[in-house]
């Protein structure tokens, strides 16, 4: 029954009709009519509370959405995932990131083999190494302890650990700083190394394939920087470790296999922070806390696998996203964490979601006739309130928002946190309520504006509200809660991919970019481009050759 669209027509059509039938509803009225609405549309799991009452939904909408998920055979696909089947069909790979945080000892197998012994062995090596570095037992070439760790990696080999390290900043020590260099733009590496001392710096070269141009270029420059200062090849072994699935390429780069932390091709890049790609996290906050992060993700895995769809956080979030994207015509989705240390979360989720579900054909290669992955974007509150929130409140597009808020702060500056929380709640409320003409008029009358001015201003100052949002709250952003939060979004993306019938685990678009950059680089050798190159690219290559880069600023 997985048809043409990858979806079941009757469920789809019922949802289209239902969206139309709800077009006139106003959330204000729904709240006024139903004092239980918040309770009815709230869920809790793994220490995270989701209030999704401020959405353009009723019970029928949720029921129809769940029917859609069932019709897309969500539970069968979930089983296939857990059983280690090759659900990444275009790459012929299993998708077993849940095994990496499998503290409950579920049975995870790859091609019939238990994957847990290898996972535990790498975790144990990560523990030994990170404890040695943190305790000052791992010494640099000149005999000094490590003070700065530089992770060199990009995409999935950077965004996850970078986001987590920043999110867990309150758990970090001042005497061991972790930096992330991803961009091939020399500005990134040069400005990072500018203030570092090679004798106390450790580089973690993180690349699943160990072939990524950006990472290898940065790693080679980092090695040159080190050797120009420490003057001995032997220093490399004390200052470089690698995280990869490609032992041969790591060796060819000059990093000893003893200094390599392995992971496996059944871990997708954007799902890899739970593997040895998380080494910078272990270095930053310690292995115990890294394992708490894994435990939190495992909590959410268990919830996802066990809870019925209507009580299942990832499924409910996924279905709400589908509701707005496919039936409400909303093509973007904003993520606004009210926590400064979650500043990299929107970028992480952007990759997770847009790389996973930015697909135009179904698993069996047929073009889809509906939209898939939304544009994910966002920034931290309260900053975001003073930039793009105007468009959320009064722009012409309907953009659902996820607000993410810790209720307790790690910092005790008087007055700050309660104002942060009040702002977050107020924004969600304002998006939902808007301001009626009567309210706007009353405000203007109260400050003594005359009737002509009131009439002129009314269309600007009154606005309909009815803009949806989810509120995700928890007590404090601990490693465990963060693990659950990330896994929540991973499963949300999985559920949406299943409903849309796409392969959420490949990324051929990314691969094409990698390939073409290599070709263009070859064209730089010669002013006349390879035959068949379009005239725009050829002209840009010529312009590049003519650029005057040697002059003064
Ligand atoms: C993630 C993608 C992509 C990848 C980077 C880095 O799912 O595949 O973002 O992580 O291109 O690749 P390497 O880790 O192989 O260097």
């Amino acid at each position: 029954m997985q048809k043409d669209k990858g979806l079941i027509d009757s469920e789809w059509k019922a949802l289209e009709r239902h969206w139309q039938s709800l077009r006139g509803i106003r959330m204000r009225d729904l709240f006024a009519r139903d004092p239980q609405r918040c309770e009815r549309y709230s869920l809790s799991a793994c220490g995270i509370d989701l209030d999704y009452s401020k959405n353009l939904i009723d019970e029928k909408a949720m029921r129809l959405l769940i029917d859609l998920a069932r019709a897309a055979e969500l539970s069968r696909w979930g089983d296939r995932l857990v059983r280690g089947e090759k659900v990444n069909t275009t790459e012929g790979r299993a998708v077993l990131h849940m095994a990496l945080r499998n503290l409950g000892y579920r049975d995870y197998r790859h091609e019939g083999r238990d994957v847990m012994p290898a996972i535990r062995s790498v975790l144990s090596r990560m523990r030994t190494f990170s404890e040695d570095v943190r305790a000052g037992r791992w010494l640099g070439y000149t005999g000094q302890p490590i003070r700065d760790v530089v992770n060199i990696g990009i995409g999935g080999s950077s965004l996850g650990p970078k986001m987590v390290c920043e999110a867990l900043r309150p758990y970090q020590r001042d005497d061991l700083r972790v930096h992330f260099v991803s961009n091939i733009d020399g500005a990134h590496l040069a400005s990072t190394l500018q203030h570092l001392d090679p004798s106390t710096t450790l580089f973690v070269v993180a690349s699943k394939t160990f072939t990524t141009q950006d990472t290898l270029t940065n790693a080679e420059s980092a090695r040159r920087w080190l050797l120009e200062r420490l003057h001995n090849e032997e220093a490399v072994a004390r200052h470089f470790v690698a995280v990869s699935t490609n032992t041969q390429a790591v060796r060819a780069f000059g990093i000893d296999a003893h200094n390599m932390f392995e992971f496996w091709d059944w871990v997708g890049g954007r799902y890899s922070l739970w593997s040895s790609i998380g080494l910078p996290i272990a270095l930053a906050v310690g292995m115990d806390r890294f394992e708490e992060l894994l435990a939190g993700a495992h909590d959410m895995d268990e919830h996802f696998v066990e809870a019925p769809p209507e009580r299942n956080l990832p499924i409910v979030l996924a279905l709400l996203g589908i509701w707005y994207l496919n039936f409400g015509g909303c093509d973007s989705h904003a993520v606004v964490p009210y926590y400064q240390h979650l500043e990299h979360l929107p970028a992480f989720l952007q990759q997770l979601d847009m790389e996973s579900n930015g697909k135009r054909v179904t698993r069996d290669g047929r073009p889809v006739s509906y939209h898939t992955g939304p544009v994910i974007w966002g920034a931290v509150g309260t900053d975001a309130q003073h930039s793009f929130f105007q468009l959320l409140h009064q722009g012409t597009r309907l953009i659902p928002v996820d607000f993410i808020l810790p209720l307790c702060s790690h910092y005790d500056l008087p007055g700050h946190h309660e104002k942060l929380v009040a702002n977050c709640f107020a924004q969600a409320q304002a998006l939902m309520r808007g301001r009626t003409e009567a309210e706007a008029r009353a405000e203007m009358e109260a400050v003594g504006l005359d009737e002509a001015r009131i009439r002129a201003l009314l269309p600007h100052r009154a606005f309909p509200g009815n803009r949806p949002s989810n509120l995700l709250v928890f007590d404090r952003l601990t490693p465990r809660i963060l693990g659950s939060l990330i896994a929540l979004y991973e499963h949300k993306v999985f559920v949406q991919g299943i409903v849309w019938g796409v392969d959420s685990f490949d990324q051929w678009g990314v691969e094409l970019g990698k390939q073409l950059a290599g070709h263009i680089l070859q064209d730089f050798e010669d002013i006349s481009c390879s035959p068949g190159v379009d005239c725009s690219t050829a002209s840009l290559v010529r312009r590049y050759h003519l650029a005057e880069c040697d002059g003064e600023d």
Side-chain angles (χ1 to χ4, degrees):
M1 312 172 352
Q2 191 92 336
K3 319 346 48 190
D4 206 13
K5 298 204 298 188
L7 299 161
I8 307 257
D9 278 348
S10 60
E11 282 77 6
W12 193 265
K13 289 200 175 106
L15 279 157
E16 281 173 342
R17 282 194 300 274
H18 195 56
W19 178 273
Q20 292 308 324
S21 77
L22 290 186
R23 277 180 78 89
I25 63 159
R26 287 167 45 85
M27 277 190 258
R28 267 184 184 235
D29 302 336
L30 297 178
F31 274 101
R33 280 207 298 269
D34 178 6
Q36 308 302 316
R37 182 171 173 84
C38 175
E39 223 167 276
R40 202 182 305 287
Y41 298 111
S42 287
L43 289 177
S44 286
C46 317
I48 299 175
D49 300 331
L50 165 67
D51 172 356
Y52 64 105
S53 59
K54 295 192 200 72
N55 276 292
L56 294 160
I57 49 158
D58 61 4
E59 288 191 356
K60 182 169 176 192
M62 291 314 294
R63 202 174 60 245
L64 291 175
L65 285 164
I66 286 167
D67 289 348
L68 180 70
R70 287 212 175 94
E73 302 184 315
L74 176 61
S75 69
R76 185 174 72 83
W77 280 97
D79 290 347
R80 294 191 62 190
L81 184 78
V82 174
R83 280 205 305 269
E85 286 184 31
K86 296 190 172 165
V87 296
N88 177 358
T89 47
T90 71
E91 294 183 330
R93 288 180 183 163
V95 176
L96 281 171
H97 49 274
M98 283 199 283
L100 299 167
R101 56 230 190 179
N102 177 28
L103 307 176
Y105 300 95
R106 265 180 195 271
D107 188 32
Y108 282 101
R109 287 175 182 270
H110 181 245
E111 295 176 346
R113 272 247 197 82
D114 183 1
V115 295
M116 292 315 299
I119 291 173
R120 287 197 203 99
S121 148
V122 173
L123 282 173
S124 140
R125 289 191 56 224
M126 285 171 69
R127 174 172 287 281
T128 308
F129 179 71
S130 58
E131 286 178 353
D132 282 353
V133 171
R134 286 169 61 83
R137 288 190 296 268
W138 176 280
L139 300 176
Y141 177 66
T142 63
Q144 296 182 63
I146 300 300
R147 294 283 170 245
D148 290 278
V149 174
V150 181
N151 187 84
I152 297 181
I154 195 162
S157 300
S158 172
L159 287 162
K162 177 178 165 185
M163 180 272 288
V164 171
C165 284
E166 181 57 30
L168 299 182
R169 174 98 72 102
Y171 299 87
Q172 288 190 35
R173 292 185 340 209
D174 290 341
D175 60 349
L176 186 64
R177 294 162 294 271
V178 182
H179 314 263
F180 289 85
V181 172
S182 50
N183 201 328
I184 202 165
D185 181 354
H188 203 178
L189 182 69
S191 62
T192 306
L193 298 185
Q194 205 171 21
H195 304 292
L196 301 189
D197 175 353
S199 323
T200 55
T201 299
L202 174 76
F203 292 96
V204 177
V205 185
S207 173
K208 178 172 166 181
T209 55
F210 229 79
T211 57
T212 305
Q213 189 189 59
D214 320 57
T215 300
L216 294 189
T217 305
N218 277 323
E220 272 153 18
S221 298
R223 185 171 56 182
R224 209 172 314 118
W225 175 84
L226 186 93
L227 292 177
E228 279 166 10
R229 288 156 180 84
L230 299 184
H231 312 292
N232 196 325
E233 278 284 338
E234 283 173 26
V236 173
R238 305 305 303 166
H239 293 271
F240 274 80
V241 298
V243 177
S244 187
T245 58
N246 187 347
T247 318
Q248 244 180 336
V250 168
R251 279 216 192 95
F253 180 85
I255 297 179
D256 193 293
H258 288 113
N259 285 355
M260 172 178 157
F261 296 85
E262 192 193 1
F263 68 113
W264 307 273
D265 76 354
W266 40 259
V267 183
R270 52 196 172 275
Y271 299 88
S272 64
L273 72 90
W274 321 102
S275 70
S276 47
I277 287 288
L279 186 64
I281 305 172
L283 289 163
V285 298
M287 196 63 192
D288 288 347
R289 292 202 166 110
F290 181 67
E291 287 185 350
E292 283 169 33
L293 183 84
L294 300 185
H298 178 72
D299 293 342
M300 188 54 76
D301 294 343
E302 290 297 300
H303 166 75
F304 176 56
V305 170
E306 299 295 339
E310 59 284 2
R311 309 293 312 157
N312 195 304
L313 251 69
I315 295 180
V316 167
L317 278 188
L319 294 176
L320 288 168
I322 287 170
W323 177 236
Y324 293 115
L325 182 77
N326 296 115
F327 304 100
C330 310
D331 32 46
S332 94
H333 186 107
V335 179
V336 185
Y338 273 67
Y339 185 37
Q340 185 60 34
H341 291 317
L342 281 177
E343 65 176 325
H344 302 311
L345 184 69
F348 169 78
L349 293 179
Q350 219 162 37
Q351 186 201 23
L352 174 67
D353 201 317
M354 294 169 77
E355 211 167 78
S356 296
N357 287 337
K359 307 289 160 68
R360 55 175 291 283
V361 294
T362 56
R363 260 181 248 103
D364 53 7
R366 280 175 292 179
V368 296
S369 57
Y370 43 87
H371 280 298
T372 60
V375 176
I376 301 288
W377 59 288
V380 287
T382 55
D383 282 346
Q385 290 174 208
H386 300 266
S387 64
F388 59 75
F389 264 67
Q390 169 58 33
L391 185 144
L392 298 182
H393 286 292
Q394 283 188 291
T396 52
R397 292 177 180 81
L398 189 67
I399 301 177
V401 186
D402 285 358
F403 290 99
I404 299 170
L405 172 73
L407 297 171
C408 311
S409 174
H410 283 281
Y411 301 91
D412 56 6
L413 289 179
H416 284 250
H417 200 66
E418 64 193 34
K419 288 175 191 149
L420 179 82
V421 173
N423 271 279
C424 178
F425 292 170
Q427 288 300 321
Q429 187 186 37
L431 286 168
M432 182 273 284
R433 289 172 52 94
R435 185 161 48 195
T436 62
E437 288 205 353
E439 287 164 351
R441 171 175 283 281
E443 273 180 29
M444 288 188 279
E445 281 170 358
V447 292
L449 294 192
D450 63 42
E451 182 57 24
R453 190 77 186 128
I454 290 176
R455 284 211 187 163
L457 288 179
L458 256 186
H460 303 278
R461 299 190 57 160
F463 48 99
N466 229 19
R467 311 240 159 165
S469 66
N470 295 311
L471 248 147
L472 287 154
V473 304
F474 37 85
D475 286 350
R476 194 184 292 274
L477 194 73
T478 59
R480 191 160 191 139
I481 291 288
L482 181 62
S484 297
L485 184 68
I486 301 168
L488 164 61
Y489 277 100
E490 285 182 351
H491 294 312
K492 170 195 165 179
V493 167
F494 171 74
V495 172
Q496 293 187 330
I498 294 304
V499 172
W500 291 322
V502 299
D503 183 338
S504 300
F505 300 104
D506 62 9
Q507 57 285 313
W508 296 103
V510 177
E511 314 295 335
L512 175 65
K514 288 184 180 180
Q515 237 173 325
L516 293 187
H519 294 168
I520 291 178
L521 197 61
Q522 280 165 15
D523 287 337
F524 286 163
E525 315 254 305
D526 175 6
I527 196 142
S528 58
C529 282
S530 347
V533 168
D534 62 273
C535 65
S536 164
T537 310
S539 143
L540 289 166
V541 169
R542 275 194 301 277
R543 179 68 189 85
Y544 174 67
H545 276 286
L546 294 173
E548 291 177 13
C549 300
D550 295 331
E552 291 289 302
D553 285 343

